[in-house]
Amino acid sequence: MPSKSKGGPDTIASLRSVIPGIFDAAQRSATGHRKHAVALHTLQTKCHDVDTEGLTGEDAFNKEFIRNLNKVLGIKKREPSADKVVKLVATFVQVSHELDMQALAKAKAKLVDTDDVFSADPEMDVDTVSSRFVELLIKYLLQGFQAKEKLTRMRCCQIVAMSVTSLGEIDEQLYFDLIKKLTERIRDKEASIRVHAAIALSKLQSGEDEDGGEVTEALLGLLQHDPSAEVRRAVLLNIEKNPSTLPFVLERARDVDPTNRKCLFLKVMPPIDYHLLSIEDRERLLAAGVNDRDANVKRACVRMVGESWLTFAEENLLELTSSLDVVDSPVASKVMQALFTSYPEIPENLQFDNDLWENLTPEMTFIIRSILEYYFERKDADQTDKHLPEVMKLAQLLESFGSKLETEENEELRPDFEFIIHQLLLIGKMSDFPDELGRREMLTLMRKMILVPEIPENNIDAITDIIRKLSINEQDFIRIMVEVVSDVREMPSAADGSDEQDAVSEALLVSMKSLMIIKCILQRCFDTLSEGSSMFGLLTECVVPAVQSSELVLQDYGIECLALCCLLDKGLAIDNLALFVQAVLEGKNELRTKGLSALLDLAFMYGISDLAPSMGSAGDFVELLYEELANGDEKAQAMVGEGIARLLYAHRIPEPAKVLEELLVLYYHPSTSSNYALRQCLTYFFPAFSYMAHDNQAVMQQVTVSTICRLGGVLKQQAGDAQNGATQGQAAQQLVAWADPRILEAISAMNSSNGSSGSGVRTTVRMGGYTQLGVDALKRVFKAPPATRKVLVQTLNKLALDESSPQTQLQQMFVLTRALTQQELFTDMITRNALARFEASLLKLLDIEKVEDVNLESWLEEPEMAAVFEFVESLDGGEDEQGDANSEQSSDEDVGDWEGASDADSPKRPSQGLRLGGLAAGSAMSVPMALRSRSPLKRAREERIEELTREIDELLDSESDEEDDNDDDNGYLSAEE
């Protein structure tokens, strides 16, 4: 390509100063990158024009450019200066491509103007100095893809990713090599390299080569299975959105990383018209967004609906609602409430006129109910009264659509009428019924509607709520509803008397409907049952026969109603507790689940101690719950786990420490890794329980060490699993954090209105249990398996000990630490260093400069220290068993209690000659370690070494005496001579 600028030999000579100057200027500021890129292109063209016969000048430019580029290939990521140089290279490639395209367009236009049709071929040669440089650069960077240094691979992939869109036309073989190398790099062990390789590969999807499908498949594999959230995010943002990839993109609404979920709703989905999604896909996407636990993700989902989807619906809320299929949608109501909360101007601008009420559709009724519910929940009485219809008008609408439902023969339209009736009933629940005439009309209509044979259960709930609101008090409500149940049971049979099977089926339906109504009544009653009340009559006439029935569906409803009755009367609960236990042990599916729910609700209401006598003891009750926790049914396991958590939180369980420990082991157990409901419940419960009160945290401190020891065997089987679960060390850190009183006090101070209650200086009473945790851990270390020992020692340094910790417990920990050091239980340097650090921290807290300054004589006078010295002394008699403890124990056996290891005949206080870790009880100076603290094998080996040493010394002495005698015999003169 001809150029206007000409270069000379001086141009090539100036390359080693000009190009480094441009690179240096580019890394200082990113604002002039395009200017620097144009300067590089001009310099490149001048170098090419130096030698018209060869490529000497061009080679010199390329060589100098590569030399300067090499200086940044080994620089770590996120280094600003290096990132700016990389951006300069990408800008240079882009500018070169743009200038080449401009020159090519001018050349084509010139040929067309001269009527040289044959020369104006669209595929005319585009070989330019820039295109040759780009091919050279890509080939050079592809070599860096295989570099051993990870930073070099990362920078090469980064430059390619930023430059790939500006490559223009490159050699076909180079194109396939580029795809092949990038496909290899997306499997690199470094996540940062996979990120840039995925970005570069995603920009090559639209190529017309035969490997386009393989590229997309590779990217989808990354999107689904890559462990790095950053890699998945890079693919999510850059992958081509088409019908084949969109289902995989929508799956990221359930990504484990909240940033990726937020990115989906904020950046990926807004440009896509929601009409391209199926109704099922819209439902799943919105359900994941509005139910997300992360508030930012939830707001991003609502923003997508309010700004993007509403725009695609032409700002028509009715059109948007129609696309959600509100009749069968479980999430539409929640989406609408979230939308109104974020965009309050939407309900404010809507007006309900008379024509609207005369032409109700399912979508319009849903919008009206959603707006009224929005104002009702915010207690905006003015707006609620403004939009609510009159009671008589509402009754007329209900009666009208009820008549249409009875006469409608088209089964496809019946669900729409049922939905409209349900929405109108929900609107009626929000009315105050100020008109007495309207109240009477509505009550008559409700009693009439509830007698409809095929009325849905959700409508029974709504009608019961309206009747409760229309009633004077609870007794009046019960009287009305008992009359309704009697009317239901006395309804004439529609079945032919000759067909016995139809009559039995209809009787079953009547019983089911009666039990549904009774359940609704009991859920809204709070007064205690009495034998003379009308509700007690329903219990004996309907509920008890249903429990004794052979029909499983009646048993389910009967157990549920009986449990609600027991919540109103403690004596009834005690009398029928055995029945619920039988339902749990012998029932199946729904009956067993409802029996469990009844037991947990009654235990929460009255406490296990009050209910246990009817089962034998409180331990039997808790044992039943343990059996259900060990059950393979995840639903029942989650229900029992949540129930036990509630009982612990409400202090309804005797001996909570044992129950809490079982719950902790269950939480970390690999068998519950797929039970997300249980894990989510316990993830919230443990910190909430520990940080609620000091008594709760004391229970957590009590079970922390024993739980860590039990988890050593439980989590050992998880090492070879593909699932990513918590290790024993991670579990120990989490347990210590839940037992940390500093966090409890910080939360108490934050929640306190004046900032003083529950805060301030920590007392020794509060720190006592936390410090005792360290003492218990040190005692367990002596005889725990090796893996658990290491975890316990590492955990010691996580304890937040300070000057407020009880001095006696600090002294106990120091004595145990010195005994551990003397036992030489640890072979790895990391654990030994951790133990040394902990010992140094104890010395600092005890205000002692070095170990030699410790005087045990004063400590021996303290009664609390006698047990620790007795424990250490008892270890001498257990050395033979020490080797057995070094082998890994079985999976979940509990480590025994080591505190009772002393002999009955041993003294209450160790003798004054006891030597402990270089410290003598009667002296402040360091002395050698007592031999009796060593193992028998080691002691025998050292005695044998000393015996051999004595024999060698005696042999050398005898040889020396013989040599002296020989010297005298040879005539040597003595000193005296």
Side-chain angles (χ1 to χ4, degrees):
M1 182 188 305
S3 178
K4 296 180 180 179
S5 58
K6 300 292 182 179
D10 294 340
T11 303
I12 297 178
S14 64
L15 288 177
R16 294 186 67 87
S17 61
V18 176
I19 293 181
I22 294 176
F23 273 67
D24 182 67
Q27 69 180 339
R28 299 179 186 277
S29 175
T31 55
H33 275 182
R34 187 168 183 85
K35 179 184 70 174
H36 297 317
V38 173
L40 282 173
H41 181 75
T42 303
L43 182 62
Q44 182 186 41
T45 306
K46 289 181 179 180
C47 291
H48 171 67
D49 294 339
V50 171
D51 190 354
T52 56
E53 296 180 358
L55 298 176
T56 306
E58 185 176 338
D59 289 342
F61 176 86
N62 295 342
K63 182 178 179 180
E64 181 61 24
F65 189 93
I66 296 297
R67 186 183 72 84
N68 285 271
L69 180 61
N70 286 339
K71 297 182 182 297
V72 301
L73 294 182
I75 300 179
K76 63 181 181 179
K77 63 178 181 179
R78 295 189 179 90
E79 179 64 33
S81 57
D83 291 339
K84 291 173 184 175
V85 172
V86 170
K87 186 177 179 181
L88 171 67
V89 175
T91 306
F92 175 50
V93 173
Q94 178 185 359
V95 168
S96 299
H97 177 67
E98 292 175 356
L99 294 176
D100 284 351
M101 291 298 99
Q102 293 176 8
L104 182 62
K106 291 181 181 179
K108 288 182 178 180
K110 183 176 180 182
L111 291 175
V112 171
D113 292 341
T114 57
D115 296 332
D116 193 351
V117 180
F118 297 100
S119 299
D121 188 356
E123 298 183 358
M124 59 189 303
D125 186 18
V126 292
D127 182 34
T128 63
V129 59
S130 299
S131 63
R132 291 193 297 271
F133 168 77
V134 169
E135 290 191 8
L136 173 69
L137 178 64
I138 295 300
K139 290 178 180 178
Y140 181 75
L141 293 174
L142 288 180
Q143 297 177 16
F145 281 20
Q146 308 297 329
K148 186 177 181 180
E149 179 61 41
K150 62 181 180 181
L151 294 177
T152 302
R153 300 197 305 272
M154 187 272 294
R155 289 295 180 186
C156 291
C157 290
Q158 183 184 16
I159 295 173
V160 170
M162 297 181 68
S163 307
V164 69
T165 55
S166 304
L167 294 182
E169 295 185 12
I170 60 175
D171 181 68
E172 183 177 2
Q173 185 60 42
L174 178 60
Y175 179 78
F176 287 119
D177 288 344
L178 179 60
I179 291 181
K180 180 181 178 181
K181 298 293 184 182
L182 288 173
T183 305
E184 293 175 356
R185 285 308 98 204
I186 63 175
R187 300 182 182 91
D188 197 285
K189 63 181 181 180
E190 296 294 331
S192 59
I193 298 174
R194 299 199 302 272
V195 167
H196 295 300
I199 294 174
L201 202 58
S202 63
K203 296 177 181 178
L204 299 174
Q205 290 177 96
S206 57
E208 298 178 356
D209 59 282
E210 59 182 2
D211 293 333
E214 295 182 3
V215 171
T216 302
E217 185 177 352
L219 291 173
L220 290 176
L222 284 180
L223 185 63
Q224 288 183 292
H225 308 298
D226 197 283
S228 172
E230 191 176 357
V231 176
R232 299 195 303 272
R233 191 181 314 128
V235 178
L236 178 65
L237 291 172
N238 293 280
I239 194 171
E240 185 178 352
K241 312 302 184 297
N242 54 46
S244 62
T245 61
L246 204 52
F248 300 95
V249 171
L250 294 177
E251 287 180 357
R252 292 306 94 200
R254 305 296 298 172
D255 195 285
V256 296
D257 184 68
T259 305
N260 286 359
R261 303 196 299 270
K262 179 181 176 182
C263 185
L264 173 71
F265 291 110
L266 276 185
K267 296 183 179 180
V268 178
M269 294 308 300
I272 300 175
D273 191 345
Y274 71 89
H275 293 98
L276 300 177
L277 306 177
S278 64
I279 293 179
E280 292 78 10
D281 288 339
R282 298 173 204 163
E283 291 289 325
R284 283 195 296 267
L285 182 64
L286 292 176
V290 297
N291 294 319
D292 199 289
R293 71 181 70 179
D294 192 297
N296 293 325
V297 178
K298 188 180 299 185
R299 284 193 292 268
C301 176
V302 176
R303 181 177 175 183
M304 176 194 70
V305 176
E307 296 182 4
S308 175
W309 287 21
L310 200 56
T311 301
F312 285 119
E314 298 179 354
E315 306 296 334
N316 190 335
L317 185 61
L318 183 60
E319 171 65 24
L320 177 63
T321 308
S322 302
S323 65
L324 298 180
D325 189 20
V326 295
V327 175
D328 299 319
S329 174
V331 74
S333 180
K334 199 167 186 178
V335 171
M336 200 61 62
Q337 293 303 314
L339 182 65
F340 292 161
T341 302
S342 300
Y343 301 91
E345 64 275 8
I346 294 178
E348 291 175 359
N349 295 330
L350 292 178
Q351 301 293 332
F352 303 155
D353 52 17
N354 293 330
D355 293 339
L356 183 66
W357 293 104
E358 297 295 334
N359 301 282
L360 288 178
T361 62
E363 292 77 17
M364 183 54 65
T365 313
F366 172 77
I367 293 176
I368 295 173
R369 194 267 304 169
S370 299
I371 293 176
L372 288 170
E373 186 176 318
Y374 167 75
Y375 287 124
F376 185 78
E377 290 180 353
R378 280 153 185 76
K379 299 181 180 180
D380 190 342
D382 295 337
Q383 290 291 338
T384 304
D385 295 339
K386 176 182 177 182
H387 293 90
L388 270 174
E390 296 180 356
V391 178
M392 292 296 296
K393 178 67 175 179
L394 183 61
Q396 293 173 3
L397 290 172
L398 283 169
E399 191 170 8
S400 173
F401 281 101
S403 301
K404 291 180 181 179
L405 179 63
E406 291 179 3
T407 58
E408 182 59 53
E409 298 180 357
N410 189 348
E411 294 297 328
E412 295 182 357
L413 295 179
R414 290 181 64 86
D416 291 348
F417 289 135
E418 290 179 353
F419 181 80
I420 293 175
I421 291 173
H422 181 63
Q423 298 300 305
L424 291 174
L425 289 173
L426 295 179
I427 293 173
K429 287 171 57 177
M430 292 178 275
S431 177
D432 289 335
F433 304 106
D435 182 15
E436 183 62 28
L437 182 61
R439 290 171 64 90
R440 294 178 181 178
E441 182 68 23
M442 182 63 73
L443 180 59
T444 303
L445 179 61
M446 292 298 101
R447 296 187 61 166
K448 177 182 176 182
M449 290 182 64
I450 204 170
L451 296 177
V452 175
E454 298 180 357
I455 184 172
E457 186 173 357
N458 60 350
N459 284 356
I460 294 179
D461 281 336
I463 291 173
T464 306
D465 284 329
I466 293 176
I467 294 178
R468 178 68 183 90
K469 205 166 187 178
L470 292 169
S471 304
I472 301 174
N473 50 35
E474 185 171 312
Q475 289 73 24
D476 185 46
F477 167 68
I478 293 175
R479 179 188 59 78
I480 295 173
M481 295 305 297
V482 168
E483 292 176 0
V484 169
V485 174
S486 300
D487 293 342
V488 170
R489 298 178 64 190
E490 294 173 1
M491 287 180 62
S493 175
D496 189 357
S498 60
D499 195 340
E500 183 179 354
Q501 185 175 1
D502 290 346
V504 172
S505 299
E506 186 170 348
L508 178 63
L509 292 175
V510 170
S511 298
M512 287 176 56
K513 185 174 181 180
S514 300
L515 291 171
M516 289 181 190
I517 299 175
I518 293 173
K519 184 182 75 171
C520 292
I521 300 172
L522 292 170
Q523 288 174 340
R524 291 156 179 81
C525 291
F526 300 95
D527 291 345
T528 304
L529 289 181
S530 58
E531 293 188 3
S533 65
S534 53
M535 277 303 302
F536 198 84
L538 291 179
L539 173 65
T540 56
E541 295 176 9
C542 298
V543 177
V544 174
V547 174
Q548 298 172 348
S549 173
S550 59
E551 296 289 342
L552 292 179
V553 62
L554 292 183
Q555 287 182 2
D556 293 344
Y557 278 110
I559 285 288
E560 194 170 3
C561 291
L562 182 60
L564 291 171
C565 291
C566 291
L567 290 175
L568 298 176
D569 187 271
K570 185 176 181 179
L572 193 64
I574 295 175
D575 293 340
N576 291 277
L577 191 67
L579 179 63
F580 298 124
V581 173
Q582 183 181 2
V584 172
L585 297 178
E586 301 178 5
K588 296 181 180 180
N589 301 331
E590 194 69 22
L591 180 62
R592 178 168 167 267
T593 301
K594 290 185 177 180
L596 270 175
S597 178
L599 283 177
L600 293 169
D601 289 342
L602 293 176
F604 186 81
M605 186 74 179
Y606 304 115
I608 292 179
S609 300
D610 293 344
L611 298 177
S614 59
M615 288 186 60
S617 66
D620 295 335
F621 193 100
V622 176
E623 189 63 30
L624 175 64
L625 299 181
Y626 284 167
E627 292 178 2
E628 295 304 319
L629 278 179
N631 194 293
D633 184 7
E634 291 188 351
K635 183 179 179 181
Q637 194 178 54
M639 176 188 294
V640 176
E642 180 181 352
I644 293 178
R646 290 167 55 198
L647 294 173
L648 282 171
Y649 198 82
H651 303 285
R652 293 291 191 177
I653 293 183
E655 299 182 358
K658 295 181 180 179
V659 180
L660 180 62
E661 182 176 336
E662 294 297 329
L663 215 56
L664 285 167
V665 174
L666 180 72
Y667 176 64
Y668 291 107
H669 203 285
S671 63
T672 63
S673 59
S674 61
N675 196 339
Y676 301 114
L678 175 66
R679 286 283 181 102
Q680 184 176 4
C681 171
L682 296 182
T683 299
Y684 175 82
F685 164 72
F686 289 128
F689 174 80
S690 299
Y691 303 143
M692 182 182 72
H694 291 286
D695 293 340
N696 290 4
Q697 194 169 63
V699 178
M700 180 65 72
Q701 293 165 354
Q702 183 181 349
V703 302
T704 295
V705 176
S706 57
T707 303
I708 293 173
C709 294
R710 289 184 61 182
L711 290 177
V714 170
L715 298 179
K716 185 170 60 178
Q717 57 183 302
Q718 190 171 273
D721 295 348
Q723 299 174 350
N724 295 324
T727 63
Q728 188 183 12
Q730 292 171 340
Q733 292 184 22
Q734 200 166 38
L735 289 170
V736 170
W738 289 334
D740 191 346
R742 298 178 306 169
I743 303 177
L744 171 60
E745 291 167 5
I747 294 176
S748 299
M750 184 174 58
N751 294 335
S752 177
S753 58
N754 55 10
S756 60
S757 176
S759 62
V761 180
R762 294 191 299 276
T763 64
T764 55
V765 176
R766 296 181 180 179
M767 291 296 293
Y770 188 61
T771 313
Q772 184 62 35
L773 188 155
V775 177
D776 295 340
L778 285 167
K779 289 183 178 180
R780 294 291 182 116
V781 170
F782 285 97
K783 295 185 179 180
T788 302
R789 287 175 181 166
K790 295 179 182 179
V791 172
L792 289 174
V793 172
Q794 296 290 342
T795 303
L796 291 173
N797 289 288
K798 303 295 182 182
L799 298 178
L801 304 176
D802 57 15
E803 293 77 5
S804 62
S805 302
Q807 289 294 303
T808 302
Q809 291 176 338
L810 294 177
Q811 294 170 2
Q812 290 175 353
M813 284 191 285
F814 178 79
V815 171
L816 294 171
T817 304
R818 292 304 299 168
L820 268 179
T821 305
Q822 199 62 39
Q823 289 288 331
E824 299 181 359
L825 298 177
F826 307 108
T827 58
D828 61 303
M829 185 62 67
I830 296 178
T831 308
R832 290 203 299 267
N833 291 340
L835 189 61
R837 288 197 306 270
F838 183 68
E839 183 182 70
S841 64
L842 290 176
L843 287 173
K844 184 177 180 180
L845 292 173
L846 292 170
D847 197 16
I848 300 174
E849 293 186 2
K850 51 187 177 180
V851 176
E852 289 76 5
D853 295 338
V854 177
N855 191 342
L856 299 181
E857 185 176 1
S858 60
W859 294 3
L860 287 170
E861 301 299 329
E862 300 178 13
E864 295 86 353
M865 295 297 297
V868 175
F869 283 111
E870 184 178 337
F871 171 81
V872 174
E873 187 178 11
S874 68
L875 295 174
D876 299 334
E879 291 294 339
D880 294 335
E881 292 83 4
Q882 185 64 34
D884 297 335
N886 291 338
S887 60
E888 285 290 350
Q889 310 278 323
S890 63
S891 62
D892 44 2
E893 289 183 351
D894 288 343
V895 181
D897 188 2
W898 315 124
E899 297 190 9
S902 60
D903 201 332
D905 297 331
S906 3
K908 295 300 181 181
R909 184 182 299 176
S911 63
Q912 295 296 321
L914 171 65
R915 301 180 186 276
L916 177 63
L919 297 178
S923 174
M925 64 179 62
S926 177
V927 295
M929 175 178 51
L931 288 177
R932 66 184 181 84
S933 64
R934 302 173 184 169
S935 65
L937 182 62
K938 185 176 181 181
R939 185 165 61 250
R941 183 170 61 252
E942 291 179 350
E943 291 174 353
R944 178 57 178 162
I945 292 174
E946 290 179 358
E947 182 180 353
L948 291 174
T949 303
R950 286 195 301 270
E951 292 177 359
I952 293 173
D953 290 339
E954 293 174 359
L955 181 61
L956 292 176
D957 290 339
S958 62
E959 290 178 356
S960 177
D961 293 337
E962 293 176 359
E963 289 177 0
D964 291 340
D965 294 339
N966 292 336
D967 290 342
D968 293 339
D969 293 341
N970 290 336
Y972 284 96
L973 298 176
S974 64
E976 296 179 353
E977 296 176 340

